Amino acid sequence: MQSTGRFTAIKRILSPDHSLPYLGAALVMGLVSVLYLYFQQQSSQAQLQQHAVALARLVSEYKVAPDDGQDFSNLERLFEHQLMNVAFAYGLIEDSTGQPLTLTATRSLSAILPKLPDADSNWLQSRSLGLQSGDVLEFYGPIKGAAGGPHYYRFAYYQPRFGLNTEDLRVGATLGLPIFLLVPLFLFLHARTARPLKDIGNRLAEVIEGKVKLQHVEISANGELAEFIAQFNGFVDKVQGRISSADRMNRKLITSEKFLSYRAERFESILQTVPDGILIVDEDLKVVFINQHVESMFDIGADQVLSSPLAAWCTHQPLLDFVIELRSSGQTSANKVVQMLHPDGRHTLGVSAHPLFFSRSPGSHTGSLVLLRDISEEIAAKQSRVDFVGALSHEIKAPLNTIGLYAQMLETNGEDGEFRIETHNVITREVERLTRLVHNLLSITQIEMGTFELDAQRVHLVDVVRDCVSVLDHGEDQARIKVQASDKITPVQVDKELLRVAISNLLTNALKYSDESLPVTVEIEESDDAISLAVTDQGLGISEADQARIFEKFNRSSNPEAKKKAGHGLGLSIASEIVKLHHGTLTVESEIGKGSRFTIELWKRTGIAQRSI
Amino acid sequence: MSLRLILADDEAPTARVMSLALTKQGYEVEVCHDGAEALKAVLANPPDVLVTDIEMPVMTGQELCEQLEKLLPDRTFPVYVITGVTDLVHRKWTREIRDLHFLEKPVSIRRLAQELEQRLRS
């Protein structure tokens, strides 16, 4: 880890964008050093030259003592004195043959000096010599006044070398130190300024890559950088504010979208659940919504008709006319009801249309809501009621008519004793008939209103059946009824009078709707928890459609043959209500032309208990 | 010569007392207990007047009239229908039947006698 970090640091320094200031600093330092050395060498050279010339002048003006003309000791001392100078290589005096008379040299000099040039020289001359211990600059000239031929002096200085002179090191160091100190300082300052910027850059890069969240830059700095960081952090605050408000908005949006879709789904499910057909069209009569009932009514799918004009698929002219009329009339609150035949041809639909308005702009018509309701049952019930009133009217007026006629006849035929007895009997019977009718009407009303109280007794069903048979008007009818029941059948807890009405109604129907020559069977059976009583005839039979409505009040068979029989459509309704009061069931099985079987099933006590659990 | 009258009514006491009353008025009365029986009697020997109830087994008064209209297009005798129903809806069918008159229940023998007297004797 550590080595990697170090490696990264090095790489960072060496990478082109980072190394530039360092390279610049090194270059400057190098250049300064080279220049310094160059000028140092130049100045050493000049100094040497100056020194040499001064020495040469001193030497050349040297006078040999007159006594022997061979004493060069003063000169020798002068050279020895020169040894103090580090650059001094050697100093010597030669005779005219080239033999050295004196030699003053540094220890390091270990070489054979070359001879002077042959040409006579009367003044100071210099030449460069390459010796083993280094390059020297040699000065030479004649010594005046020497005895025994011309003598020459020679002395040399080492050439100043290009390089660091230890003597000048202090000066160089004094000069170089500030430079060498300044460069790292500059680099340090640069690094100090650049690092926070680099950090900010890295941080931003991470934010952009999505690795971290945008946050404050915590870097200690001062001056302009601190100001920049403060402003940058201010910017971060602002951006964070924007981001969080955008997040909040987004969450709100998601929530409201969920809420909207929830509401839409809820409304849709409500519209689908409504038992009526719902059709919504826009102002151009294009379908906006239909629910499942409309789909099944017209045998279409919502997908097929949505956004398509109503006229494109709705072949039911009355509906189309109705909706068009509603739109063109510009009514603001129309609730008109028209009747139309259900597409299945059997049911009647009540159609009501309501213009739709936006609550914001109540004036503009945005479409229509059309409700389609199957009103077949309402119509049937209405018709049943009309039929019932007709039948009731007949039931009441027939005995009244008979009574009235006899009363009129009494006027002219009153003397006839036999006729008076006949009149009495007829009137009594007709009054009973009327009373029975009224009683029946009251019973069903009471049963329906729930004000009927059961007078429960334990009775044998077979006894109730025999009672019913015994009160039948005609002996032939009594003879047609065959009762099949075991004597061991458990008695049941019932309201005997009510149950008699129910069973009587079943028997009367069975006799009425079957041929006089055919028997009517009553079977009483017992199971573990119920006792059943079935009345079976071999008569007209009841169609399935009629069976569905057979226990409805006022309902009479649609069979023309059955219609011929007198009846007021109350018998089965009353029977069914009575059986229900006993928590029993009344069911029918029938086939046209073969007969019908009505079964009353009464639960025994245990049966009732089990069922109530 | 007495006028012949066919009376169709399934209510036995009503048929009997009407027959009694009309016989007293001098009519020769033939009583039938349902529409089919009456139709048979009419076709066998057309009467001077037919008096019929509507609600009857086997063949209703309405069906009887419709049959007569079909089978006897040039019938000359009037038909009197005894009805307890006053609702016009239930009388719609009678528009198709010629020379048809209503007798509302309860029937007044005197009014019927007067009516028949006027229509048949004139």
Side-chain angles (χ1 to χ4, degrees), chain A residues 181-450:
Chain A
L181 280 177
L182 270 174
V183 168
L185 184 70
F186 164 74
L187 284 176
F188 169 72
L189 284 176
H190 169 78
R192 227 181 95 160
T193 320
R195 183 165 298 143
L197 286 173
K198 184 65 195 166
D199 282 352
I200 294 171
N202 289 341
R203 202 74 63 78
L204 280 175
E206 282 178 348
V207 169
I208 290 165
E209 283 169 22
K211 284 182 192 162
V212 292
K213 279 172 84 173
L214 186 62
Q215 55 195 19
H216 272 200
V217 175
E218 302 295 350
I219 293 167
S220 57
N222 43 34
E224 286 176 0
L225 189 60
E227 205 175 304
F228 169 76
I229 288 172
Q231 280 187 351
F232 180 79
N233 285 342
F235 170 74
V236 167
D237 283 343
K238 213 160 206 175
V239 171
Q240 274 177 338
R242 288 273 170 87
I243 289 172
S244 63
S245 93
D247 277 351
R248 270 200 306 280
M249 289 275 286
N250 199 26
R251 274 199 299 279
K252 250 186 181 172
L253 266 174
I254 290 168
T255 314
S256 67
E257 197 184 296
K258 274 186 188 166
F259 182 63
L260 274 176
S261 79
Y262 166 69
R263 271 173 56 151
E265 271 175 34
R266 203 174 52 171
F267 277 123
E268 166 126 14
S269 81
I270 291 171
L271 291 178
Q272 291 290 5
T273 316
V274 168
D276 296 345
I278 293 179
L279 161 69
I280 300 173
V281 290
D282 64 10
E283 62 272 33
D284 300 322
L285 297 181
K286 282 182 184 162
V287 177
V288 178
F289 176 83
I290 62 170
N291 73 356
Q292 54 189 8
H293 302 296
V294 176
E295 287 182 302
S296 62
M297 270 177 202
F298 293 92
D299 194 23
I300 43 162
D303 303 343
Q304 300 166 268
V305 297
L306 282 185
S307 315
S308 68
L310 189 59
W313 58 272
C314 179
T315 50
H316 297 270
Q317 203 56 39
L319 176 62
L320 213 53
D321 291 346
F322 181 48
V323 178
I324 292 169
E325 187 196 328
L326 175 75
R327 188 184 57 162
S328 56
S329 68
Q331 285 167 290
T332 51
S333 60
N335 181 8
K336 194 175 153 190
V337 179
V338 294
Q339 283 185 20
M340 59 174 264
L341 201 62
H342 190 286
D344 70 6
R346 286 187 289 126
H347 294 82
T348 309
L349 293 176
V351 185
S352 66
H354 310 260
L356 295 174
F357 303 98
F358 280 136
S359 53
R360 268 169 280 155
S361 54
S364 58
H365 185 196
T366 57
S368 307
L369 167 70
V370 183
L371 298 176
L372 299 119
R373 171 186 279 182
D374 186 345
I375 54 167
S376 314
E377 284 192 13
E378 285 172 38
I379 288 174
K382 223 173 176 178
Q383 188 56 45
S384 285
R385 218 160 289 142
V386 170
D387 290 348
F388 170 69
V389 171
L392 192 62
S393 165
H394 176 262
E395 290 297 305
I396 294 169
K397 282 189 173 175
L400 280 180
N401 189 37
T402 313
I403 293 168
L405 286 170
Y406 273 93
Q408 286 173 55
M409 280 303 290
L410 271 182
E411 213 181 326
T412 53
N413 238 18
E415 305 301 319
D416 185 341
E418 238 177 80
F419 183 75
R420 279 169 64 181
I421 293 168
E422 184 188 330
T423 307
H424 170 263
N425 289 343
V426 167
I427 290 176
T428 308
R429 204 172 57 228
E430 294 303 304
V431 166
E432 272 172 11
R433 184 175 159 191
L434 276 172
T435 310
R436 211 162 49 235
L437 177 66
V438 171
H439 185 72
N440 254 352
L441 279 173
L442 288 176
S443 296
I444 198 156
T445 313
Q446 277 180 319
I447 290 169
E448 282 196 338
M449 290 176 73

Side-chain angles (χ1 to χ4, degrees), chain A residues 537-544 547 588-597:
Chain A
D537 66 53
Q538 297 166 32
L540 299 172
I542 305 153
S543 71
E544 274 188 30
Q547 280 181 40
V588 60
E589 301 155 79
S590 185
E591 202 176 324
I592 289 278
K594 292 203 170 166
S596 309
R597 180 186 176 89

Side-chain angles (χ1 to χ4, degrees), chain B residues 21-63:
Chain B
L22 290 167
T23 312
K24 277 212 155 192
Q25 294 291 324
Y27 291 93
E28 185 192 322
V29 181
E30 186 179 343
V31 176
C32 302
H33 294 99
D34 62 62
E37 205 180 312
L39 181 64
K40 211 166 143 189
V42 168
L43 293 177
N45 187 7
D48 294 303
V49 61
L50 171 68
V51 178
T52 176
D53 192 10
I54 295 177
E55 296 286 336
M56 284 186 298
V58 189
M59 182 184 277
T60 64
Q62 179 182 342
E63 284 166 335

Side-chain angles (χ1 to χ4, degrees), chain A residues 389-574:
Chain A
V389 171
L392 192 62
S393 165
H394 176 262
E395 290 297 305
I396 294 169
K397 282 189 173 175
L400 280 180
N401 189 37
T402 313
I403 293 168
L405 286 170
Y406 273 93
Q408 286 173 55
M409 280 303 290
L410 271 182
E411 213 181 326
T412 53
N413 238 18
E415 305 301 319
D416 185 341
E418 238 177 80
F419 183 75
R420 279 169 64 181
I421 293 168
E422 184 188 330
T423 307
H424 170 263
N425 289 343
V426 167
I427 290 176
T428 308
R429 204 172 57 228
E430 294 303 304
V431 166
E432 272 172 11
R433 184 175 159 191
L434 276 172
T435 310
R436 211 162 49 235
L437 177 66
V438 171
H439 185 72
N440 254 352
L441 279 173
L442 288 176
S443 296
I444 198 156
T445 313
Q446 277 180 319
I447 290 169
E448 282 196 338
M449 290 176 73
T451 54
F452 214 95
E453 277 187 28
L454 288 180
D455 179 17
Q457 306 159 26
R458 287 182 78 76
V459 293
H460 287 279
L461 274 188
V462 70
D463 292 343
V464 184
V465 174
R466 288 197 180 118
D467 257 12
C468 295
V469 176
S470 68
V471 295
L472 285 173
D473 288 345
H474 306 288
E476 313 90 70
D477 285 348
Q478 292 179 12
R480 284 172 65 195
I481 295 173
K482 314 285 177 206
V483 182
Q484 297 171 3
S486 153
D487 289 341
K488 289 175 186 167
I489 286 177
T490 319
V492 281
Q493 188 89 2
V494 293
D495 185 316
K496 192 179 166 188
E497 290 307 312
L498 274 182
L499 202 65
R500 195 158 66 182
V501 172
I503 295 171
S504 281
N505 288 349
L506 294 185
L507 289 177
T508 317
N509 279 351
L511 293 168
K512 188 158 68 176
Y513 297 114
S514 62
D515 194 273
E516 286 169 14
S517 63
L518 295 168
V520 169
T521 319
V522 180
E523 295 156 274
I524 302 174
E525 283 168 3
E526 181 171 4
S527 68
D528 286 347
D529 52 7
I531 291 175
S532 66
L533 182 150
V535 177
T536 314
D537 66 53
Q538 297 166 32
L540 299 172
I542 305 153
S543 71
E544 274 188 30
D546 280 341
Q547 280 181 40
R549 304 184 56 202
I550 199 161
F551 299 119
E552 285 177 22
K553 207 167 44 162
F554 314 132
N555 181 60
R556 289 210 63 199
S557 170
S558 59
N559 185 342
E561 288 298 312
K563 272 186 170 175
K564 286 173 186 167
K565 310 285 181 180
H568 41 65
L570 281 178
L572 284 177
S573 170
I574 290 175

Side-chain angles (χ1 to χ4, degrees), chain A residues 23-235:
Chain A
L23 277 177
L27 203 67
V28 168
M29 283 164 73
L31 199 67
V32 166
S33 303
V34 168
L35 279 175
Y36 167 73
L37 290 173
Y38 174 75
F39 282 116
Q40 195 196 29
Q41 194 219 9
Q42 289 293 311
S43 105
S44 297
Q45 186 98 23
Q47 248 181 0
L48 195 65
Q49 203 89 22
Q50 227 173 346
H51 205 80
V53 170
L55 185 63
R57 229 174 246 159
L58 272 176
V59 173
S60 60
E61 279 174 21
Y62 180 77
K63 299 253 190 331
V64 182
D67 46 348
D68 60 357
Q70 289 288 308
D71 183 10
F72 303 102
S73 56
N74 282 343
L75 204 59
E76 206 175 346
R77 273 200 298 278
L78 189 69
F79 284 146
E80 274 167 13
H81 187 75
Q82 286 305 309
L83 282 174
M84 304 271 283
N85 190 333
V86 286
F88 187 74
Y90 56 86
L92 61 91
I93 294 162
E94 278 182 5
D95 61 12
S96 55
T97 58
Q99 278 301 308
L101 299 178
T102 65
L103 173 66
T104 311
T106 53
R107 281 184 195 165
S108 57
L109 180 76
S110 55
I112 297 155
L113 297 170
K115 284 187 174 179
L116 289 172
D118 285 342
D120 251 3
S121 54
N122 292 319
W123 58 83
L124 178 69
Q125 290 190 61
S126 66
R127 60 171 183 171
S128 287
L129 292 174
L131 300 181
Q132 204 172 8
S133 50
D135 291 344
V136 294
L137 187 64
E138 185 181 61
F139 297 88
Y140 59 93
I143 300 171
K144 289 168 188 168
H151 285 66
Y152 295 90
Y153 62 86
R154 293 171 66 171
F155 63 89
Y157 289 93
Y158 285 110
Q159 292 268 36
R161 267 184 289 184
F162 186 80
L164 195 61
N165 190 337
T166 43
E167 276 180 14
D168 297 326
L169 195 63
R170 218 176 298 158
V171 182
T174 315
L175 276 170
L177 189 67
I179 294 167
F180 282 93
L181 280 177
L182 270 174
V183 168
L185 184 70
F186 164 74
L187 284 176
F188 169 72
L189 284 176
H190 169 78
R192 227 181 95 160
T193 320
R195 183 165 298 143
L197 286 173
K198 184 65 195 166
D199 282 352
I200 294 171
N202 289 341
R203 202 74 63 78
L204 280 175
E206 282 178 348
V207 169
I208 290 165
E209 283 169 22
K211 284 182 192 162
V212 292
K213 279 172 84 173
L214 186 62
Q215 55 195 19
H216 272 200
V217 175
E218 302 295 350
I219 293 167
S220 57
N222 43 34
E224 286 176 0
L225 189 60
E227 205 175 304
F228 169 76
I229 288 172
Q231 280 187 351
F232 180 79
N233 285 342
F235 170 74

